[in-house]
Amino acid sequence: MHRVLTTLGCALTAVLATAWSAAPPTRPAVTTVRIHDGLVRGTAHNGYRTFEGIPYAAPPVGSLRWAPPHPAAPWPGVRDATRPASACPQPAGEVPGGSTDEDCLHLNITTPDDAGPAHPRPVIVWLHGGGFTTGAGSSYDAHRMATRGDVVVVTVDYRLGALGFLAHSGLPGSGTFGLADQQAALRWVRAEIGAFGGDAHNVTLAGESAGGYSVCAQLAAPAAAGLFDRAIIESGPCTGRPDRPFAPSSVPLSTARATGTAFAAKVGCGSTHDVLSCLRRASAPRLLAAQATDQQPAYATPLLPTDPAAAITAGHFHHVPVLIGNNHDEGNGWAAGIIQAGNPVTADTWPDVVSAFFPSAGQARAIVREYPVHRTDGGPVFGAVIGDANFACPTARTDALLAAQVPTWRYEFADEHAPPLTSGTPPFPLGAPHASELPYLFDLGGRPRDLTAAQHRLADTMIDYWTRFARTTDPNGPSSPHWPRRTVLSLAPDHIAPTHTAESRHHCAFWNTHN
């Protein structure tokens, strides 16, 4: 049962595909920029320019499959950057039909019209979520953030699934190829973003869910030193752990290698003389069919020597300012999906449901007492347990650890009427579940947001906070409610205010005791 429910959980971001599929193409004007590898031709829009599918590393194919990223080769003539490149290999979901194209180490740039080398703008590098298994940088249309916030936004594709995180003895880079890709993209940004009007000396690394946890990993990764100046972590707390399967986390290299051995056997390469050569000859669809649903980066590796949770607890991380937060009802989407899959949550079934995720009998009983299920509230109670254990309380813990060392700003997205990201009618109101803040920052798939006037104002305010933080470290400004440090800013339409009660509302004292 645990595997079934975890699979549903890890697929949550993927089912956003119906909302995120790309908008129909148009015929706008073009614009050209020269970088070190050659000329790139992008698209000129009303007030901003986009450059899509620019390679930041060589295609990781053939002998470069499961190798650290190599520099991209220069190109002759003008490279077309008017449309997205292929997403990295992944099953069908956010990317309709999935992808099997391994030539995927590309990034996309959105820059204000008047940004140029003479007047560089702050840069936000965005790492997508998707459980390290799905997702694409091209899903995030950043033109509102770029124009309203007067920043340059870069969205990145990085290797996913077994292609991004395979671990095997004797394989340099085991378990961290996707993280190495992110670092290669950051090095590219430092070297090239000035040509697009970005300030290479003012780079904020940002992400949500697995992308947020990637930011945590880069905070703890020695080789990422100097590659970014600020960090934004959305719903990806750095203190995630494998026994809380809904939030992203990392695993020891030994565990990752055991997973890699099982993967090789499933592909049919486990008993061959040269396992890695066999795996490199296997087709991408065959690899996707064999990979596990759960994917995590590996620590105790050269790129990630320490679990990010331990590194941040010890204060051993890159000391840059951080903006961090979570959504009020993170767990409700998973709870709804699990219930709709035929697992009702009632007062009678509740102890068994809890035991599926918390096998310690004593802990399971304590959770049932702390979160009692009554006649009709099983779904929201289940969602609260998922959200508190995996997101809200780990975010509070991460915030406390970071704030002791660096300037830190914490928010909670709390729009209880956030527009749904999936089709269908859920078994109970979802409130502000996982990923529901994203349409307030981006047009997902290039499609306009379905927001009320009050929600549009909230979206503008959030973009203002995010981009002012990227510009100066302080998200406050004259046009937005004051955000005091060492408080949690609650973000809801017409009610943006600091609060000191978030931890008690999310039962964090309980989780601190029963960790």
Side-chain angles (χ1 to χ4, degrees), residues 324-359:
I324 185 171
N326 61 276
N327 297 349
H328 184 274
D329 307 296
E330 292 274 5
N332 279 0
W334 282 288
I338 291 166
I339 290 169
Q340 288 177 314
N343 301 280
V345 178
T346 67
D348 291 334
T349 65
W350 182 225
D352 291 335
V353 172
V354 172
S355 295
F357 293 95
F358 302 91

PDB file of all heavy atoms in Angstrom, residues 324-359:
ATOM      1  N   ILE A 324      12.292  31.666   1.779  1.00  0.00           N
ATOM      2  CA  ILE A 324      11.824  30.277   1.851  1.00  0.00           C
ATOM      3  C   ILE A 324      10.365  30.254   2.292  1.00  0.00           C
ATOM      4  O   ILE A 324       9.901  31.133   3.024  1.00  0.00           O
ATOM      5  CB  ILE A 324      12.696  29.457   2.836  1.00  0.00           C
ATOM      6  CG1 ILE A 324      12.300  27.975   2.821  1.00  0.00           C
ATOM      7  CG2 ILE A 324      12.646  30.035   4.254  1.00  0.00           C
ATOM      8  CD1 ILE A 324      13.271  27.086   3.599  1.00  0.00           C
ATOM      9  N   GLY A 325       9.625  29.245   1.839  1.00  0.00           N
ATOM     10  CA  GLY A 325       8.245  29.135   2.279  1.00  0.00           C
ATOM     11  C   GLY A 325       7.577  27.870   1.793  1.00  0.00           C
ATOM     12  O   GLY A 325       8.182  27.022   1.123  1.00  0.00           O
ATOM     13  N   ASN A 326       6.314  27.751   2.162  1.00  0.00           N
ATOM     14  CA  ASN A 326       5.493  26.596   1.789  1.00  0.00           C
ATOM     15  C   ASN A 326       4.055  27.055   1.653  1.00  0.00           C
ATOM     16  O   ASN A 326       3.725  28.212   1.935  1.00  0.00           O
ATOM     17  CB  ASN A 326       5.604  25.485   2.843  1.00  0.00           C
ATOM     18  CG  ASN A 326       5.130  25.941   4.207  1.00  0.00           C
ATOM     19  OD1 ASN A 326       5.897  26.559   4.962  1.00  0.00           O
ATOM     20  ND2 ASN A 326       3.868  25.672   4.556  1.00  0.00           N
ATOM     21  N   ASN A 327       3.194  26.156   1.225  1.00  0.00           N
ATOM     22  CA  ASN A 327       1.774  26.450   1.062  1.00  0.00           C
ATOM     23  C   ASN A 327       0.997  25.927   2.260  1.00  0.00           C
ATOM     24  O   ASN A 327       1.375  24.943   2.890  1.00  0.00           O
ATOM     25  CB  ASN A 327       1.248  25.837  -0.231  1.00  0.00           C
ATOM     26  CG  ASN A 327       1.919  26.441  -1.453  1.00  0.00           C
ATOM     27  OD1 ASN A 327       2.633  27.447  -1.348  1.00  0.00           O
ATOM     28  ND2 ASN A 327       1.707  25.832  -2.605  1.00  0.00           N
ATOM     29  N   HIS A 328      -0.100  26.583   2.564  1.00  0.00           N
ATOM     30  CA  HIS A 328      -0.857  26.273   3.776  1.00  0.00           C
ATOM     31  C   HIS A 328      -1.391  24.851   3.781  1.00  0.00           C
ATOM     32  O   HIS A 328      -1.448  24.205   4.826  1.00  0.00           O
ATOM     33  CB  HIS A 328      -2.018  27.265   3.918  1.00  0.00           C
ATOM     34  CG  HIS A 328      -2.815  27.108   5.172  1.00  0.00           C
ATOM     35  ND1 HIS A 328      -3.860  26.225   5.286  1.00  0.00           N
ATOM     36  CD2 HIS A 328      -2.712  27.709   6.379  1.00  0.00           C
ATOM     37  CE1 HIS A 328      -4.381  26.302   6.506  1.00  0.00           C
ATOM     38  NE2 HIS A 328      -3.696  27.184   7.188  1.00  0.00           N
ATOM     39  N   ASP A 329      -1.762  24.335   2.616  1.00  0.00           N
ATOM     40  CA  ASP A 329      -2.417  23.024   2.532  1.00  0.00           C
ATOM     41  C   ASP A 329      -1.630  22.093   1.607  1.00  0.00           C
ATOM     42  O   ASP A 329      -2.209  21.424   0.734  1.00  0.00           O
ATOM     43  CB  ASP A 329      -3.855  23.187   2.039  1.00  0.00           C
ATOM     44  CG  ASP A 329      -4.638  24.192   2.866  1.00  0.00           C
ATOM     45  OD1 ASP A 329      -4.844  23.934   4.062  1.00  0.00           O
ATOM     46  OD2 ASP A 329      -5.009  25.249   2.318  1.00  0.00           O
ATOM     47  N   GLU A 330      -0.329  22.020   1.800  1.00  0.00           N
ATOM     48  CA  GLU A 330       0.550  21.259   0.897  1.00  0.00           C
ATOM     49  C   GLU A 330       0.050  19.841   0.638  1.00  0.00           C
ATOM     50  O   GLU A 330       0.134  19.329  -0.470  1.00  0.00           O
ATOM     51  CB  GLU A 330       1.965  21.183   1.477  1.00  0.00           C
ATOM     52  CG  GLU A 330       2.713  22.494   1.514  1.00  0.00           C
ATOM     53  CD  GLU A 330       3.446  22.807   0.238  1.00  0.00           C
ATOM     54  OE1 GLU A 330       3.310  22.061  -0.744  1.00  0.00           O
ATOM     55  OE2 GLU A 330       4.174  23.824   0.233  1.00  0.00           O
ATOM     56  N   GLY A 331      -0.443  19.165   1.656  1.00  0.00           N
ATOM     57  CA  GLY A 331      -0.750  17.751   1.531  1.00  0.00           C
ATOM     58  C   GLY A 331      -2.098  17.420   0.941  1.00  0.00           C
ATOM     59  O   GLY A 331      -2.378  16.238   0.660  1.00  0.00           O
ATOM     60  N   ASN A 332      -2.956  18.410   0.735  1.00  0.00           N
ATOM     61  CA  ASN A 332      -4.335  18.097   0.350  1.00  0.00           C
ATOM     62  C   ASN A 332      -4.439  17.459  -1.034  1.00  0.00           C
ATOM     63  O   ASN A 332      -5.308  16.606  -1.269  1.00  0.00           O
ATOM     64  CB  ASN A 332      -5.187  19.363   0.402  1.00  0.00           C
ATOM     65  CG  ASN A 332      -5.653  19.688   1.806  1.00  0.00           C
ATOM     66  OD1 ASN A 332      -5.332  18.965   2.759  1.00  0.00           O
ATOM     67  ND2 ASN A 332      -6.392  20.770   1.969  1.00  0.00           N
ATOM     68  N   GLY A 333      -3.594  17.856  -1.967  1.00  0.00           N
ATOM     69  CA  GLY A 333      -3.665  17.249  -3.296  1.00  0.00           C
ATOM     70  C   GLY A 333      -3.346  15.770  -3.256  1.00  0.00           C
ATOM     71  O   GLY A 333      -4.009  14.957  -3.915  1.00  0.00           O
ATOM     72  N   TRP A 334      -2.324  15.386  -2.489  1.00  0.00           N
ATOM     73  CA  TRP A 334      -1.991  13.970  -2.358  1.00  0.00           C
ATOM     74  C   TRP A 334      -3.113  13.221  -1.647  1.00  0.00           C
ATOM     75  O   TRP A 334      -3.503  12.133  -2.077  1.00  0.00           O
ATOM     76  CB  TRP A 334      -0.688  13.809  -1.583  1.00  0.00           C
ATOM     77  CG  TRP A 334       0.528  14.069  -2.392  1.00  0.00           C
ATOM     78  CD1 TRP A 334       1.041  13.282  -3.385  1.00  0.00           C
ATOM     79  CD2 TRP A 334       1.408  15.183  -2.280  1.00  0.00           C
ATOM     80  NE1 TRP A 334       2.199  13.843  -3.885  1.00  0.00           N
ATOM     81  CE2 TRP A 334       2.447  15.004  -3.232  1.00  0.00           C
ATOM     82  CE3 TRP A 334       1.437  16.322  -1.461  1.00  0.00           C
ATOM     83  CZ2 TRP A 334       3.487  15.916  -3.383  1.00  0.00           C
ATOM     84  CZ3 TRP A 334       2.476  17.226  -1.613  1.00  0.00           C
ATOM     85  CH2 TRP A 334       3.480  17.023  -2.560  1.00  0.00           C
ATOM     86  N   ALA A 335      -3.621  13.790  -0.569  1.00  0.00           N
ATOM     87  CA  ALA A 335      -4.696  13.124   0.157  1.00  0.00           C
ATOM     88  C   ALA A 335      -5.898  12.894  -0.749  1.00  0.00           C
ATOM     89  O   ALA A 335      -6.500  11.812  -0.755  1.00  0.00           O
ATOM     90  CB  ALA A 335      -5.087  13.949   1.384  1.00  0.00           C
ATOM     91  N   ALA A 336      -6.242  13.905  -1.545  1.00  0.00           N
ATOM     92  CA  ALA A 336      -7.384  13.757  -2.453  1.00  0.00           C
ATOM     93  C   ALA A 336      -7.129  12.668  -3.483  1.00  0.00           C
ATOM     94  O   ALA A 336      -8.014  11.848  -3.774  1.00  0.00           O
ATOM     95  CB  ALA A 336      -7.668  15.093  -3.142  1.00  0.00           C
ATOM     96  N   GLY A 337      -5.921  12.640  -4.051  1.00  0.00           N
ATOM     97  CA  GLY A 337      -5.612  11.621  -5.040  1.00  0.00           C
ATOM     98  C   GLY A 337      -5.646  10.216  -4.475  1.00  0.00           C
ATOM     99  O   GLY A 337      -6.115   9.273  -5.118  1.00  0.00           O
ATOM    100  N   ILE A 338      -5.151  10.071  -3.254  1.00  0.00           N
ATOM    101  CA  ILE A 338      -5.143   8.755  -2.616  1.00  0.00           C
ATOM    102  C   ILE A 338      -6.569   8.290  -2.324  1.00  0.00           C
ATOM    103  O   ILE A 338      -6.917   7.118  -2.544  1.00  0.00           O
ATOM    104  CB  ILE A 338      -4.292   8.810  -1.340  1.00  0.00           C
ATOM    105  CG1 ILE A 338      -2.811   8.979  -1.715  1.00  0.00           C
ATOM    106  CG2 ILE A 338      -4.492   7.574  -0.484  1.00  0.00           C
ATOM    107  CD1 ILE A 338      -1.927   9.375  -0.559  1.00  0.00           C
ATOM    108  N   ILE A 339      -7.405   9.196  -1.874  1.00  0.00           N
ATOM    109  CA  ILE A 339      -8.803   8.845  -1.611  1.00  0.00           C
ATOM    110  C   ILE A 339      -9.507   8.470  -2.911  1.00  0.00           C
ATOM    111  O   ILE A 339     -10.225   7.461  -2.988  1.00  0.00           O
ATOM    112  CB  ILE A 339      -9.517  10.015  -0.901  1.00  0.00           C
ATOM    113  CG1 ILE A 339      -8.987  10.164   0.532  1.00  0.00           C
ATOM    114  CG2 ILE A 339     -11.032   9.805  -0.894  1.00  0.00           C
ATOM    115  CD1 ILE A 339      -9.442  11.442   1.221  1.00  0.00           C
ATOM    116  N   GLN A 340      -9.277   9.267  -3.967  1.00  0.00           N
ATOM    117  CA  GLN A 340      -9.938   8.975  -5.241  1.00  0.00           C
ATOM    118  C   GLN A 340      -9.437   7.682  -5.870  1.00  0.00           C
ATOM    119  O   GLN A 340     -10.116   7.095  -6.703  1.00  0.00           O
ATOM    120  CB  GLN A 340      -9.735  10.157  -6.194  1.00  0.00           C
ATOM    121  CG  GLN A 340     -10.557  11.383  -5.804  1.00  0.00           C
ATOM    122  CD  GLN A 340     -10.303  12.572  -6.719  1.00  0.00           C
ATOM    123  OE1 GLN A 340      -9.155  12.898  -7.024  1.00  0.00           O
ATOM    124  NE2 GLN A 340     -11.367  13.230  -7.160  1.00  0.00           N
ATOM    125  N   ALA A 341      -8.255   7.240  -5.468  1.00  0.00           N
ATOM    126  CA  ALA A 341      -7.719   5.969  -5.976  1.00  0.00           C
ATOM    127  C   ALA A 341      -8.306   4.760  -5.253  1.00  0.00           C
ATOM    128  O   ALA A 341      -7.887   3.624  -5.510  1.00  0.00           O
ATOM    129  CB  ALA A 341      -6.198   5.960  -5.860  1.00  0.00           C
ATOM    130  N   GLY A 342      -9.263   4.994  -4.350  1.00  0.00           N
ATOM    131  CA  GLY A 342      -9.935   3.882  -3.688  1.00  0.00           C
ATOM    132  C   GLY A 342      -9.452   3.594  -2.288  1.00  0.00           C
ATOM    133  O   GLY A 342      -9.592   2.466  -1.800  1.00  0.00           O
ATOM    134  N   ASN A 343      -8.904   4.611  -1.622  1.00  0.00           N
ATOM    135  CA  ASN A 343      -8.422   4.445  -0.252  1.00  0.00           C
ATOM    136  C   ASN A 343      -9.139   5.442   0.659  1.00  0.00           C
ATOM    137  O   ASN A 343      -8.591   6.505   0.974  1.00  0.00           O
ATOM    138  CB  ASN A 343      -6.906   4.656  -0.185  1.00  0.00           C
ATOM    139  CG  ASN A 343      -6.156   3.693  -1.076  1.00  0.00           C
ATOM    140  OD1 ASN A 343      -5.932   2.552  -0.731  1.00  0.00           O
ATOM    141  ND2 ASN A 343      -5.760   4.173  -2.260  1.00  0.00           N
ATOM    142  N   PRO A 344     -10.370   5.135   1.067  1.00  0.00           N
ATOM    143  CA  PRO A 344     -11.119   6.094   1.880  1.00  0.00           C
ATOM    144  C   PRO A 344     -10.458   6.319   3.230  1.00  0.00           C
ATOM    145  O   PRO A 344      -9.809   5.425   3.784  1.00  0.00           O
ATOM    146  CB  PRO A 344     -12.491   5.427   2.034  1.00  0.00           C
ATOM    147  CG  PRO A 344     -12.220   3.969   1.848  1.00  0.00           C
ATOM    148  CD  PRO A 344     -11.107   3.881   0.852  1.00  0.00           C
ATOM    149  N   VAL A 345     -10.606   7.530   3.735  1.00  0.00           N
ATOM    150  CA  VAL A 345     -10.080   7.879   5.058  1.00  0.00           C
ATOM    151  C   VAL A 345     -11.275   8.176   5.955  1.00  0.00           C
ATOM    152  O   VAL A 345     -11.937   9.207   5.826  1.00  0.00           O
ATOM    153  CB  VAL A 345      -9.131   9.082   4.991  1.00  0.00           C
ATOM    154  CG1 VAL A 345      -8.634   9.443   6.398  1.00  0.00           C
ATOM    155  CG2 VAL A 345      -7.953   8.782   4.070  1.00  0.00           C
ATOM    156  N   THR A 346     -11.565   7.232   6.834  1.00  0.00           N
ATOM    157  CA  THR A 346     -12.637   7.368   7.805  1.00  0.00           C
ATOM    158  C   THR A 346     -12.063   7.139   9.187  1.00  0.00           C
ATOM    159  O   THR A 346     -10.900   6.774   9.349  1.00  0.00           O
ATOM    160  CB  THR A 346     -13.751   6.345   7.530  1.00  0.00           C
ATOM    161  OG1 THR A 346     -13.226   5.025   7.778  1.00  0.00           O
ATOM    162  CG2 THR A 346     -14.248   6.431   6.094  1.00  0.00           C
ATOM    163  N   ALA A 347     -12.904   7.317  10.194  1.00  0.00           N
ATOM    164  CA  ALA A 347     -12.437   7.057  11.559  1.00  0.00           C
ATOM    165  C   ALA A 347     -11.972   5.610  11.702  1.00  0.00           C
ATOM    166  O   ALA A 347     -11.023   5.321  12.444  1.00  0.00           O
ATOM    167  CB  ALA A 347     -13.561   7.362  12.558  1.00  0.00           C
ATOM    168  N   ASP A 348     -12.592   4.680  10.971  1.00  0.00           N
ATOM    169  CA  ASP A 348     -12.221   3.264  11.072  1.00  0.00           C
ATOM    170  C   ASP A 348     -10.931   2.956  10.317  1.00  0.00           C
ATOM    171  O   ASP A 348     -10.102   2.167  10.775  1.00  0.00           O
ATOM    172  CB  ASP A 348     -13.358   2.387  10.523  1.00  0.00           C
ATOM    173  CG  ASP A 348     -14.590   2.424  11.417  1.00  0.00           C
ATOM    174  OD1 ASP A 348     -14.441   2.688  12.636  1.00  0.00           O
ATOM    175  OD2 ASP A 348     -15.698   2.196  10.888  1.00  0.00           O
ATOM    176  N   THR A 349     -10.749   3.563   9.133  1.00  0.00           N
ATOM    177  CA  THR A 349      -9.557   3.246   8.325  1.00  0.00           C
ATOM    178  C   THR A 349      -8.346   4.086   8.684  1.00  0.00           C
ATOM    179  O   THR A 349      -7.222   3.752   8.305  1.00  0.00           O
ATOM    180  CB  THR A 349      -9.857   3.444   6.830  1.00  0.00           C
ATOM    181  OG1 THR A 349     -10.122   4.843   6.579  1.00  0.00           O
ATOM    182  CG2 THR A 349     -11.051   2.611   6.385  1.00  0.00           C
ATOM    183  N   TRP A 350      -8.567   5.171   9.415  1.00  0.00           N
ATOM    184  CA  TRP A 350      -7.496   6.132   9.673  1.00  0.00           C
ATOM    185  C   TRP A 350      -6.257   5.497  10.315  1.00  0.00           C
ATOM    186  O   TRP A 350      -5.128   5.760   9.864  1.00  0.00           O
ATOM    187  CB  TRP A 350      -8.040   7.270  10.500  1.00  0.00           C
ATOM    188  CG  TRP A 350      -7.120   8.407  10.853  1.00  0.00           C
ATOM    189  CD1 TRP A 350      -6.987   9.009  12.069  1.00  0.00           C
ATOM    190  CD2 TRP A 350      -6.227   9.121   9.986  1.00  0.00           C
ATOM    191  NE1 TRP A 350      -6.090  10.034  12.022  1.00  0.00           N
ATOM    192  CE2 TRP A 350      -5.603  10.125  10.747  1.00  0.00           C
ATOM    193  CE3 TRP A 350      -5.901   8.996   8.631  1.00  0.00           C
ATOM    194  CZ2 TRP A 350      -4.658  11.001  10.207  1.00  0.00           C
ATOM    195  CZ3 TRP A 350      -4.957   9.866   8.085  1.00  0.00           C
ATOM    196  CH2 TRP A 350      -4.345  10.842   8.870  1.00  0.00           C
ATOM    197  N   PRO A 351      -6.368   4.659  11.326  1.00  0.00           N
ATOM    198  CA  PRO A 351      -5.140   4.062  11.898  1.00  0.00           C
ATOM    199  C   PRO A 351      -4.328   3.273  10.874  1.00  0.00           C
ATOM    200  O   PRO A 351      -3.092   3.329  10.888  1.00  0.00           O
ATOM    201  CB  PRO A 351      -5.679   3.160  13.019  1.00  0.00           C
ATOM    202  CG  PRO A 351      -6.982   3.787  13.409  1.00  0.00           C
ATOM    203  CD  PRO A 351      -7.564   4.293  12.124  1.00  0.00           C
ATOM    204  N   ASP A 352      -4.998   2.549   9.971  1.00  0.00           N
ATOM    205  CA  ASP A 352      -4.262   1.787   8.961  1.00  0.00           C
ATOM    206  C   ASP A 352      -3.583   2.706   7.947  1.00  0.00           C
ATOM    207  O   ASP A 352      -2.459   2.430   7.499  1.00  0.00           O
ATOM    208  CB  ASP A 352      -5.203   0.824   8.233  1.00  0.00           C
ATOM    209  CG  ASP A 352      -5.690  -0.298   9.126  1.00  0.00           C
ATOM    210  OD1 ASP A 352      -4.985  -0.622  10.101  1.00  0.00           O
ATOM    211  OD2 ASP A 352      -6.780  -0.834   8.848  1.00  0.00           O
ATOM    212  N   VAL A 353      -4.256   3.794   7.574  1.00  0.00           N
ATOM    213  CA  VAL A 353      -3.658   4.741   6.638  1.00  0.00           C
ATOM    214  C   VAL A 353      -2.402   5.352   7.255  1.00  0.00           C
ATOM    215  O   VAL A 353      -1.348   5.438   6.613  1.00  0.00           O
ATOM    216  CB  VAL A 353      -4.677   5.827   6.249  1.00  0.00           C
ATOM    217  CG1 VAL A 353      -3.996   6.923   5.436  1.00  0.00           C
ATOM    218  CG2 VAL A 353      -5.832   5.230   5.451  1.00  0.00           C
ATOM    219  N   VAL A 354      -2.490   5.772   8.498  1.00  0.00           N
ATOM    220  CA  VAL A 354      -1.322   6.361   9.166  1.00  0.00           C
ATOM    221  C   VAL A 354      -0.190   5.350   9.250  1.00  0.00           C
ATOM    222  O   VAL A 354       0.977   5.669   8.998  1.00  0.00           O
ATOM    223  CB  VAL A 354      -1.715   6.876  10.566  1.00  0.00           C
ATOM    224  CG1 VAL A 354      -0.475   7.303  11.346  1.00  0.00           C
ATOM    225  CG2 VAL A 354      -2.694   8.035  10.451  1.00  0.00           C
ATOM    226  N   SER A 355      -0.520   4.110   9.578  1.00  0.00           N
ATOM    227  CA  SER A 355       0.520   3.079   9.723  1.00  0.00           C
ATOM    228  C   SER A 355       1.244   2.801   8.419  1.00  0.00           C
ATOM    229  O   SER A 355       2.402   2.369   8.416  1.00  0.00           O
ATOM    230  CB  SER A 355      -0.107   1.782  10.253  1.00  0.00           C
ATOM    231  OG  SER A 355      -0.615   1.982  11.558  1.00  0.00           O
ATOM    232  N   ALA A 356       0.559   3.043   7.264  1.00  0.00           N
ATOM    233  CA  ALA A 356       1.209   2.830   5.976  1.00  0.00           C
ATOM    234  C   ALA A 356       2.377   3.782   5.770  1.00  0.00           C
ATOM    235  O   ALA A 356       3.328   3.470   5.054  1.00  0.00           O
ATOM    236  CB  ALA A 356       0.197   2.996   4.846  1.00  0.00           C
ATOM    237  N   PHE A 357       2.316   4.956   6.406  1.00  0.00           N
ATOM    238  CA  PHE A 357       3.367   5.958   6.234  1.00  0.00           C
ATOM    239  C   PHE A 357       4.276   6.084   7.443  1.00  0.00           C
ATOM    240  O   PHE A 357       5.401   6.562   7.330  1.00  0.00           O
ATOM    241  CB  PHE A 357       2.741   7.315   5.913  1.00  0.00           C
ATOM    242  CG  PHE A 357       2.057   7.348   4.579  1.00  0.00           C
ATOM    243  CD1 PHE A 357       0.693   7.124   4.487  1.00  0.00           C
ATOM    244  CD2 PHE A 357       2.777   7.554   3.417  1.00  0.00           C
ATOM    245  CE1 PHE A 357       0.059   7.129   3.259  1.00  0.00           C
ATOM    246  CE2 PHE A 357       2.151   7.561   2.186  1.00  0.00           C
ATOM    247  CZ  PHE A 357       0.795   7.339   2.095  1.00  0.00           C
ATOM    248  N   PHE A 358       3.791   5.673   8.596  1.00  0.00           N
ATOM    249  CA  PHE A 358       4.566   5.760   9.831  1.00  0.00           C
ATOM    250  C   PHE A 358       4.506   4.399  10.515  1.00  0.00           C
ATOM    251  O   PHE A 358       3.686   4.161  11.396  1.00  0.00           O
ATOM    252  CB  PHE A 358       4.005   6.859  10.745  1.00  0.00           C
ATOM    253  CG  PHE A 358       3.988   8.218  10.110  1.00  0.00           C
ATOM    254  CD1 PHE A 358       2.872   8.668   9.415  1.00  0.00           C
ATOM    255  CD2 PHE A 358       5.094   9.053  10.191  1.00  0.00           C
ATOM    256  CE1 PHE A 358       2.854   9.917   8.824  1.00  0.00           C
ATOM    257  CE2 PHE A 358       5.087  10.311   9.601  1.00  0.00           C
ATOM    258  CZ  PHE A 358       3.970  10.737   8.914  1.00  0.00           C
ATOM    259  N   PRO A 359       5.379   3.462  10.086  1.00  0.00           N
ATOM    260  CA  PRO A 359       5.249   2.076  10.551  1.00  0.00           C
ATOM    261  C   PRO A 359       5.532   1.876  12.029  1.00  0.00           C
ATOM    262  O   PRO A 359       5.186   0.834  12.583  1.00  0.00           O
ATOM    263  CB  PRO A 359       6.263   1.318   9.691  1.00  0.00           C
ATOM    264  CG  PRO A 359       7.170   2.347   9.143  1.00  0.00           C
ATOM    265  CD  PRO A 359       6.403   3.616   9.052  1.00  0.00           C
TER     266      PRO A 359
END
